[in-house]
Amino acid sequence: MPKNKPRYLMGVGTPDYLIESAIAGIDMCDCVLPTRIARNGTALTSKGKLVVRNATYERDWGVLDTECDCYTCKNYSRAYIRHLIKANEILGVRLLSIHNLRFLTKLMERVRIEIENDNLLNFKNEFYKQYGYTKE
């Protein structure tokens, strides 16, 4: 492949695959994952996946992710989002989609910084540990 052309990988959207793709030299990825899992009541968080549809979150007034700066985390609780999802209100899916897209955008912003600092492999290991992955 020409070195001056961007490398594109379609269908990759999980945090671990995005990081691994960057390590492998991929420049761009796209995937329906963040919105698809939102439709199923799942949020990507700094501590791993959170299935807000679960009964555990019925009275959880905390935000989806304390480390997130998205509109959803600034304005809505897990309990309210769960209520919306359980009631099949489209707002619940939209709020989770906003959050998931922001989470992945922030992740890739960080990956860029770590590439510039020649620290991507260390970041990967730290991220996997915090996210709950056991990959090496």
Side-chain angles (χ1 to χ4, degrees), residues 33-106:
L33 178 102
T35 54
R36 176 174 288 156
I37 65 172
R39 289 191 301 270
N40 294 311
T42 302
L44 300 169
T45 75
S46 58
K47 304 287 190 243
K49 286 184 184 175
L50 185 145
V51 183
V52 75
R53 177 182 292 278
N54 291 348
T56 306
Y57 304 108
E58 185 174 12
R59 299 192 188 281
D60 186 338
W61 306 111
V63 298
L64 291 174
D65 188 350
T66 57
E67 296 182 27
C68 185
D69 62 355
C70 77
Y71 175 81
T72 302
C73 288
K74 288 180 180 178
N75 295 287
Y76 298 95
S77 70
R78 292 174 178 180
Y80 184 65
I81 296 168
R82 180 185 185 277
H83 159 73
L84 293 172
I85 295 294
K86 296 298 281 184
N88 291 319
E89 289 286 343
I90 194 67
L91 178 60
V93 173
R94 287 183 180 185
L95 293 173
L96 286 174
S97 293
I98 288 167
H99 169 77
N100 287 344
L101 290 167
R102 179 62 183 144
F103 175 83
L104 292 178
T105 300
K106 275 181 58 176

Coordinates of all heavy atoms in Angstrom, one line a residue, residues 33-106:
L33 N -21.4 0.2 15.6 CA -21.4 -0.3 17.0 C -21.9 0.7 18.0 O -22.8 0.3 18.8 CB -20.0 -0.8 17.4 CG -20.0 -1.3 18.9 CD1 -20.0 -2.8 18.9 CD2 -18.8 -0.8 19.6
P34 N -21.4 1.9 18.1 CA -21.9 2.8 19.2 C -23.4 3.0 19.2 O -24.0 3.1 20.2 CB -21.1 4.1 18.9 CG -20.3 3.9 17.7 CD -20.5 2.5 17.2
T35 N -24.0 3.1 18.0 CA -25.4 3.4 17.9 C -26.2 2.1 18.0 O -27.3 2.0 18.6 CB -25.8 4.1 16.6 OG1 -25.3 3.4 15.5 CG2 -25.3 5.5 16.7
R36 N -25.7 1.0 17.5 CA -26.3 -0.3 17.7 C -26.5 -0.8 19.1 O -27.5 -1.2 19.6 CB -25.6 -1.4 16.9 CG -26.3 -2.8 17.0 CD -25.7 -3.8 16.2 NE -26.1 -3.5 14.8 CZ -25.4 -3.9 13.7 NH1 -24.3 -4.6 13.8 NH2 -25.9 -3.7 12.5
I37 N -25.4 -0.7 19.9 CA -25.5 -1.1 21.3 C -26.3 -0.1 22.1 O -26.9 -0.5 23.1 CB -24.1 -1.3 21.9 CG1 -23.3 -0.1 22.0 CG2 -23.3 -2.4 21.2 CD1 -22.0 -0.2 22.8
A38 N -26.4 1.2 21.6 CA -27.2 2.1 22.3 C -28.7 1.7 22.2 O -29.5 1.8 23.1 CB -27.0 3.5 21.7
R39 N -29.1 1.2 21.0 CA -30.4 0.7 20.8 C -30.8 -0.5 21.7 O -31.9 -0.7 22.0 CB -30.6 0.3 19.3 CG -30.7 1.5 18.4 CD -31.2 1.1 17.0 NE -30.3 0.1 16.3 CZ -29.3 0.3 15.6 NH1 -28.9 1.6 15.4 NH2 -28.7 -0.6 15.0
N40 N -29.7 -1.2 22.2 CA -30.0 -2.3 23.1 C -29.7 -1.9 24.5 O -29.7 -2.7 25.4 CB -29.0 -3.4 22.7 CG -29.4 -4.0 21.4 OD1 -30.6 -4.3 21.1 ND2 -28.4 -4.2 20.5
G41 N -29.6 -0.6 24.8 CA -29.5 -0.1 26.2 C -28.1 -0.2 26.8 O -27.9 -0.3 28.0
T42 N -27.0 -0.2 26.0 CA -25.7 -0.3 26.4 C -24.8 0.9 26.2 O -24.9 1.5 25.1 CB -25.0 -1.5 25.7 OG1 -25.8 -2.7 26.0 CG2 -23.6 -1.8 26.3
A43 N -24.1 1.3 27.2 CA -23.2 2.4 27.1 C -21.7 1.9 27.3 O -21.4 1.0 28.0 CB -23.5 3.4 28.3
L44 N -20.8 2.6 26.5 CA -19.4 2.4 26.7 C -18.9 3.4 27.7 O -19.2 4.6 27.6 CB -18.7 2.6 25.4 CG -19.1 1.7 24.2 CD1 -18.5 2.3 22.9 CD2 -18.6 0.3 24.4
T45 N -18.2 2.9 28.8 CA -17.7 3.8 29.8 C -16.3 3.5 30.0 O -15.7 2.5 29.6 CB -18.5 3.6 31.1 OG1 -18.1 2.4 31.7 CG2 -20.0 3.6 30.9
S46 N -15.7 4.4 30.8 CA -14.2 4.2 31.1 C -13.9 3.0 31.9 O -12.8 2.5 32.0 CB -13.7 5.5 31.9 OG -14.5 5.6 33.1
K47 N -15.0 2.4 32.5 CA -14.8 1.1 33.3 C -15.3 -0.1 32.6 O -15.4 -1.2 33.1 CB -15.5 1.3 34.6 CG -15.1 2.5 35.5 CD -13.8 2.3 36.1 CE -13.5 3.4 37.1 NZ -12.4 4.2 36.7
G48 N -15.7 0.1 31.3 CA -16.3 -1.0 30.5 C -17.7 -0.8 30.1 O -18.2 0.3 30.3
K49 N -18.3 -1.8 29.5 CA -19.7 -1.7 29.1 C -20.6 -1.6 30.3 O -20.4 -2.3 31.2 CB -20.1 -2.8 28.2 CG -19.5 -2.8 26.8 CD -20.0 -3.9 26.0 CE -19.3 -4.0 24.6 NZ -19.8 -5.1 23.9
L50 N -21.6 -0.8 30.1 CA -22.7 -0.6 31.2 C -24.0 -0.9 30.5 O -24.4 -0.1 29.6 CB -22.6 0.8 31.7 CG -23.5 1.1 32.9 CD1 -22.8 2.0 33.9 CD2 -24.8 1.6 32.5
V51 N -24.7 -2.0 30.9 CA -26.0 -2.3 30.3 C -27.1 -1.6 31.2 O -27.5 -2.2 32.1 CB -26.2 -3.8 30.2 CG1 -27.5 -4.1 29.5 CG2 -25.1 -4.4 29.4
V52 N -27.4 -0.4 30.8 CA -28.3 0.4 31.6 C -29.7 -0.1 31.6 O -30.5 0.2 32.5 CB -28.3 1.9 31.1 CG1 -29.1 2.1 29.8 CG2 -28.8 2.9 32.1
R53 N -30.0 -1.0 30.7 CA -31.3 -1.7 30.7 C -31.5 -2.6 31.9 O -32.6 -2.9 32.3 CB -31.4 -2.5 29.4 CG -32.7 -3.3 29.3 CD -32.6 -4.2 28.0 NE -32.7 -3.4 26.8 CZ -33.8 -2.9 26.3 NH1 -35.0 -3.1 26.8 NH2 -33.8 -2.2 25.1
N54 N -30.4 -3.0 32.5 CA -30.5 -3.9 33.7 C -31.2 -3.3 34.9 O -31.1 -2.1 35.1 CB -29.1 -4.4 34.1 CG -28.5 -5.3 33.0 OD1 -29.1 -5.8 32.1 ND2 -27.2 -5.6 33.2
A55 N -31.9 -4.1 35.6 CA -32.6 -3.6 36.8 C -31.7 -3.0 37.8 O -32.2 -2.1 38.6 CB -33.4 -4.8 37.4
T56 N -30.4 -3.3 37.8 CA -29.5 -2.7 38.8 C -29.5 -1.2 38.7 O -29.3 -0.5 39.8 CB -28.1 -3.1 38.4 OG1 -28.0 -4.6 38.3 CG2 -27.0 -2.6 39.4
Y57 N -29.9 -0.6 37.6 CA -29.8 0.8 37.4 C -31.1 1.5 37.6 O -31.2 2.7 37.4 CB -29.2 1.1 36.0 CG -27.8 0.5 35.9 CD1 -27.6 -0.6 35.1 CD2 -26.8 0.9 36.7 CE1 -26.4 -1.2 35.0 CE2 -25.5 0.3 36.6 CZ -25.4 -0.8 35.8 OH -24.1 -1.4 35.7
E58 N -32.1 0.8 38.0 CA -33.5 1.4 38.2 C -33.5 2.6 39.1 O -34.3 3.5 38.8 CB -34.5 0.3 38.7 CG -35.9 0.8 38.8 CD -36.8 -0.4 39.1 OE1 -36.4 -1.4 39.6 OE2 -38.0 -0.2 39.0
R59 N -32.7 2.6 40.1 CA -32.7 3.7 41.1 C -31.3 4.3 41.2 O -30.9 4.8 42.2 CB -33.2 3.3 42.4 CG -34.7 2.8 42.4 CD -35.3 2.7 43.7 NE -36.6 2.1 43.7 CZ -37.7 2.7 43.3 NH1 -37.7 4.0 43.0 NH2 -38.9 2.1 43.3
D60 N -30.5 4.1 40.2 CA -29.1 4.6 40.2 C -29.1 6.0 39.6 O -29.2 6.2 38.4 CB -28.2 3.7 39.3 CG -26.8 4.1 39.4 OD1 -26.4 5.3 39.7 OD2 -25.9 3.2 39.1
W61 N -29.0 7.0 40.4 CA -29.1 8.4 40.0 C -27.7 9.0 39.5 O -27.6 10.2 39.2 CB -29.7 9.3 41.1 CG -31.0 8.7 41.6 CD1 -31.2 8.1 42.8 CD2 -32.2 8.6 40.8 NE1 -32.5 7.7 42.8 CE2 -33.1 7.9 41.6 CE3 -32.5 9.0 39.5 CZ2 -34.4 7.7 41.1 CZ3 -33.8 8.7 39.1 CH2 -34.8 8.1 39.9
G62 N -26.7 8.1 39.5 CA -25.4 8.6 39.0 C -25.4 8.7 37.5 O -26.3 8.3 36.8
V63 N -24.3 9.4 37.0 CA -24.2 9.5 35.5 C -23.6 8.2 34.9 O -23.1 7.3 35.6 CB -23.2 10.7 35.2 CG1 -23.8 12.0 35.7 CG2 -21.9 10.5 35.7
L64 N -23.7 8.1 33.6 CA -23.2 6.9 32.9 C -21.7 6.7 33.2 O -21.3 5.6 33.5 CB -23.4 7.0 31.4 CG -24.9 6.9 30.9 CD1 -24.9 7.2 29.4 CD2 -25.5 5.6 31.2
D65 N -21.0 7.8 33.1 CA -19.5 7.7 33.3 C -19.0 9.0 33.9 O -19.1 10.1 33.3 CB -18.8 7.5 31.9 CG -17.4 7.2 32.0 OD1 -16.8 7.3 33.1 OD2 -16.8 6.8 31.0
T66 N -18.4 9.0 35.1 CA -18.0 10.2 35.8 C -16.8 10.8 35.0 O -16.5 12.0 35.2 CB -17.5 9.9 37.2 OG1 -16.5 8.8 37.2 CG2 -18.7 9.4 38.1
E67 N -16.1 10.1 34.1 CA -15.0 10.7 33.4 C -15.5 11.3 32.0 O -14.6 11.7 31.2 CB -14.0 9.6 33.2 CG -13.3 9.1 34.5 CD -12.2 8.1 34.2 OE1 -11.6 8.1 33.2 OE2 -12.0 7.3 35.1
C68 N -16.8 11.3 31.8 CA -17.2 11.8 30.5 C -17.8 13.2 30.5 O -18.4 13.6 31.5 CB -18.3 10.8 30.0 SG -18.9 11.2 28.3
D69 N -17.6 13.9 29.5 CA -18.0 15.3 29.4 C -19.1 15.5 28.4 O -19.4 16.6 28.0 CB -16.8 16.2 29.0 CG -16.2 15.9 27.7 OD1 -16.6 14.9 27.0 OD2 -15.3 16.7 27.2
C70 N -19.8 14.4 28.0 CA -20.9 14.5 27.0 C -22.1 15.1 27.5 O -22.3 15.2 28.7 CB -21.1 13.2 26.3 SG -22.2 12.1 27.3
Y71 N -23.0 15.5 26.6 CA -24.3 16.1 27.0 C -25.1 15.2 27.9 O -25.7 15.6 28.9 CB -25.1 16.4 25.7 CG -26.5 16.9 26.0 CD1 -26.7 18.3 26.3 CD2 -27.6 16.1 25.9 CE1 -28.0 18.7 26.6 CE2 -28.9 16.5 26.1 CZ -29.1 17.8 26.5 OH -30.3 18.3 26.7
T72 N -25.1 13.9 27.5 CA -25.9 12.9 28.3 C -25.4 12.9 29.7 O -26.2 12.9 30.7 CB -25.8 11.5 27.6 OG1 -26.3 11.6 26.3 CG2 -26.6 10.5 28.4
C73 N -24.1 12.7 29.9 CA -23.5 12.6 31.3 C -23.7 13.9 32.1 O -23.8 13.8 33.3 CB -22.1 12.2 31.2 SG -21.9 10.5 30.7
K74 N -23.7 15.0 31.4 CA -23.9 16.3 32.1 C -25.4 16.5 32.6 O -25.6 17.3 33.5 CB -23.5 17.5 31.2 CG -22.0 17.6 31.0 CD -21.7 18.8 30.1 CE -20.2 18.9 29.9 NZ -19.9 20.0 29.0
N75 N -26.3 15.8 32.0 CA -27.7 16.1 32.2 C -28.6 15.0 32.6 O -29.8 15.3 33.0 CB -28.3 16.8 30.9 CG -27.6 18.1 30.6 OD1 -27.9 19.1 31.3 ND2 -26.8 18.1 29.6
Y76 N -28.2 13.7 32.5 CA -29.2 12.6 32.8 C -28.5 11.5 33.6 O -27.3 11.3 33.5 CB -29.6 12.0 31.4 CG -30.4 13.0 30.6 CD1 -29.7 13.7 29.6 CD2 -31.7 13.2 30.8 CE1 -30.4 14.7 28.8 CE2 -32.4 14.2 30.0 CZ -31.7 14.9 29.0 OH -32.4 15.8 28.3
S77 N -29.4 10.9 34.4 CA -28.9 9.8 35.3 C -29.1 8.5 34.6 O -29.9 8.3 33.6 CB -29.7 9.8 36.6 OG -31.0 9.4 36.4
R78 N -28.4 7.5 35.1 CA -28.6 6.1 34.7 C -30.1 5.7 34.8 O -30.6 5.0 33.9 CB -27.7 5.2 35.5 CG -26.2 5.4 35.2 CD -25.4 4.5 36.1 NE -24.0 4.6 35.9 CZ -23.1 4.0 36.5 NH1 -23.4 3.1 37.5 NH2 -21.8 4.2 36.2
A79 N -30.7 6.0 35.9 CA -32.1 5.6 36.2 C -33.0 6.2 35.2 O -33.9 5.5 34.6 CB -32.5 6.0 37.6
Y80 N -32.8 7.5 34.8 CA -33.7 8.1 33.8 C -33.5 7.5 32.5 O -34.5 7.2 31.7 CB -33.5 9.6 33.8 CG -34.5 10.3 32.9 CD1 -35.8 10.3 33.1 CD2 -34.0 10.9 31.7 CE1 -36.7 10.9 32.3 CE2 -34.9 11.5 30.9 CZ -36.3 11.5 31.1 OH -37.1 12.1 30.3
I81 N -32.2 7.3 32.1 CA -32.0 6.7 30.8 C -32.6 5.3 30.7 O -33.2 4.9 29.7 CB -30.5 6.7 30.5 CG1 -30.0 8.1 30.4 CG2 -30.2 5.9 29.2 CD1 -28.5 8.3 30.3
R82 N -32.4 4.5 31.8 CA -33.0 3.2 31.9 C -34.5 3.3 31.7 O -35.1 2.5 30.9 CB -32.7 2.5 33.2 CG -33.3 1.1 33.3 CD -33.1 0.5 34.7 NE -33.6 -0.9 34.7 CZ -34.9 -1.2 34.8 NH1 -35.8 -0.3 35.0 NH2 -35.3 -2.5 34.8
H83 N -35.2 4.2 32.4 CA -36.6 4.4 32.2 C -37.0 4.6 30.7 O -37.9 4.0 30.2 CB -37.1 5.6 33.1 CG -38.4 6.1 32.6 ND1 -39.6 5.5 32.8 CD2 -38.7 7.3 32.0 CE1 -40.6 6.2 32.3 NE2 -40.0 7.3 31.8
L84 N -36.2 5.5 30.1 CA -36.5 5.8 28.7 C -36.3 4.6 27.8 O -37.2 4.3 26.9 CB -35.6 6.9 28.2 CG -35.8 8.3 28.8 CD1 -34.6 9.2 28.4 CD2 -37.1 8.9 28.4
I85 N -35.3 3.8 28.0 CA -35.0 2.6 27.2 C -36.2 1.6 27.5 O -36.7 1.0 26.5 CB -33.7 2.0 27.6 CG1 -32.5 2.9 27.2 CG2 -33.5 0.6 27.0 CD1 -32.4 3.2 25.7
K86 N -36.5 1.4 28.7 CA -37.5 0.4 29.1 C -38.9 0.8 28.5 O -39.7 0.0 28.2 CB -37.6 0.2 30.6 CG -36.4 -0.4 31.2 CD -36.1 -1.8 30.7 CE -37.0 -2.8 31.3 NZ -36.6 -4.2 30.9
A87 N -39.2 2.1 28.4 CA -40.4 2.6 27.9 C -40.4 2.8 26.3 O -41.3 3.3 25.7 CB -40.7 4.0 28.5
N88 N -39.3 2.3 25.7 CA -39.1 2.4 24.3 C -39.2 3.9 23.8 O -39.7 4.1 22.7 CB -40.1 1.5 23.5 CG -39.8 0.1 23.7 OD1 -38.6 -0.3 23.7 ND2 -40.8 -0.7 23.9
E89 N -38.7 4.8 24.6 CA -38.7 6.2 24.2 C -37.4 6.4 23.4 O -36.3 6.1 23.8 CB -38.7 7.1 25.4 CG -40.0 7.2 26.1 CD -41.1 8.0 25.3 OE1 -40.7 8.8 24.4 OE2 -42.2 7.8 25.7
I90 N -37.5 7.0 22.2 CA -36.4 7.2 21.3 C -35.3 8.1 22.0 O -34.1 8.0 21.7 CB -36.8 7.7 20.0 CG1 -35.7 7.6 18.9 CG2 -37.3 9.2 20.1 CD1 -35.3 6.2 18.6
L91 N -35.7 8.9 22.9 CA -34.7 9.8 23.6 C -33.6 9.0 24.3 O -32.5 9.3 24.3 CB -35.4 10.8 24.6 CG -34.5 11.7 25.4 CD1 -33.7 12.6 24.4 CD2 -35.3 12.5 26.4
G92 N -34.0 7.8 24.9 CA -33.0 7.0 25.5 C -32.0 6.5 24.6 O -30.8 6.6 24.9
V93 N -32.4 6.1 23.4 CA -31.4 5.6 22.4 C -30.5 6.8 21.9 O -29.3 6.6 21.8 CB -32.1 5.0 21.2 CG1 -31.2 4.7 20.1 CG2 -32.9 3.7 21.7
R94 N -31.1 7.9 21.8 CA -30.4 9.1 21.3 C -29.3 9.5 22.4 O -28.2 9.8 22.1 CB -31.3 10.3 21.0 CG -32.1 10.1 19.8 CD -32.9 11.3 19.5 NE -33.6 11.1 18.2 CZ -34.4 12.0 17.6 NH1 -34.5 13.2 18.2 NH2 -35.0 11.7 16.5
L95 N -29.7 9.5 23.6 CA -28.8 9.9 24.7 C -27.6 8.9 24.8 O -26.5 9.3 25.0 CB -29.5 10.0 26.0 CG -30.5 11.2 26.1 CD1 -31.3 11.1 27.5 CD2 -29.8 12.5 26.0
L96 N -27.9 7.6 24.7 CA -26.9 6.6 24.7 C -26.0 6.7 23.5 O -24.8 6.6 23.6 CB -27.4 5.2 24.9 CG -28.0 4.8 26.2 CD1 -28.7 3.5 26.2 CD2 -26.9 4.9 27.3
S97 N -26.6 7.0 22.4 CA -25.8 7.2 21.1 C -24.8 8.4 21.3 O -23.6 8.3 20.9 CB -26.7 7.4 19.9 OG -27.4 6.2 19.6
I98 N -25.3 9.5 21.8 CA -24.5 10.7 22.0 C -23.3 10.3 22.9 O -22.2 10.7 22.6 CB -25.3 11.8 22.6 CG1 -26.3 12.4 21.6 CG2 -24.4 12.9 23.2 CD1 -27.4 13.3 22.2
H99 N -23.6 9.6 24.0 CA -22.6 9.3 24.9 C -21.6 8.3 24.3 O -20.3 8.6 24.4 CB -23.2 8.6 26.2 CG -22.1 8.0 27.0 ND1 -21.3 8.7 27.9 CD2 -21.7 6.7 27.1 CE1 -20.4 7.9 28.4 NE2 -20.6 6.7 28.0
N100 N -22.0 7.3 23.6 CA -21.1 6.3 23.0 C -20.2 6.9 22.0 O -19.0 6.6 21.9 CB -21.9 5.1 22.4 CG -22.4 4.2 23.5 OD1 -22.0 4.2 24.7 ND2 -23.4 3.4 23.1
L101 N -20.8 7.8 21.2 CA -20.0 8.5 20.1 C -18.9 9.4 20.8 O -17.8 9.4 20.3 CB -20.9 9.2 19.2 CG -21.7 8.4 18.3 CD1 -22.8 9.2 17.6 CD2 -20.9 7.6 17.3
R102 N -19.3 10.1 21.8 CA -18.4 11.0 22.5 C -17.3 10.1 23.2 O -16.1 10.5 23.1 CB -19.1 11.9 23.5 CG -18.1 12.8 24.3 CD -17.4 13.7 23.4 NE -16.5 14.5 24.2 CZ -15.3 14.9 23.7 NH1 -14.9 14.7 22.5 NH2 -14.5 15.6 24.5
F103 N -17.6 9.0 23.8 CA -16.7 8.1 24.4 C -15.6 7.7 23.4 O -14.4 7.8 23.7 CB -17.3 6.9 25.0 CG -16.4 5.9 25.6 CD1 -15.9 6.1 26.9 CD2 -15.9 4.9 24.9 CE1 -14.9 5.2 27.4 CE2 -15.0 4.0 25.4 CZ -14.5 4.2 26.7
L104 N -16.0 7.3 22.2 CA -15.1 6.8 21.2 C -14.3 7.9 20.6 O -13.1 7.8 20.3 CB -15.8 6.0 20.2 CG -16.4 4.6 20.6 CD1 -17.1 4.0 19.5 CD2 -15.3 3.7 21.2
T105 N -14.9 9.1 20.5 CA -14.2 10.2 20.0 C -13.1 10.6 20.9 O -11.9 10.9 20.5 CB -15.1 11.4 19.8 OG1 -16.1 11.1 18.8 CG2 -14.4 12.7 19.3
K106 N -13.4 10.7 22.2 CA -12.4 11.0 23.2 C -11.3 10.0 23.3 O -10.1 10.3 23.4 CB -13.0 11.1 24.6 CG -13.6 12.4 24.9 CD -14.2 12.5 26.3 CE -13.2 12.2 27.4 NZ -13.7 12.4 28.8

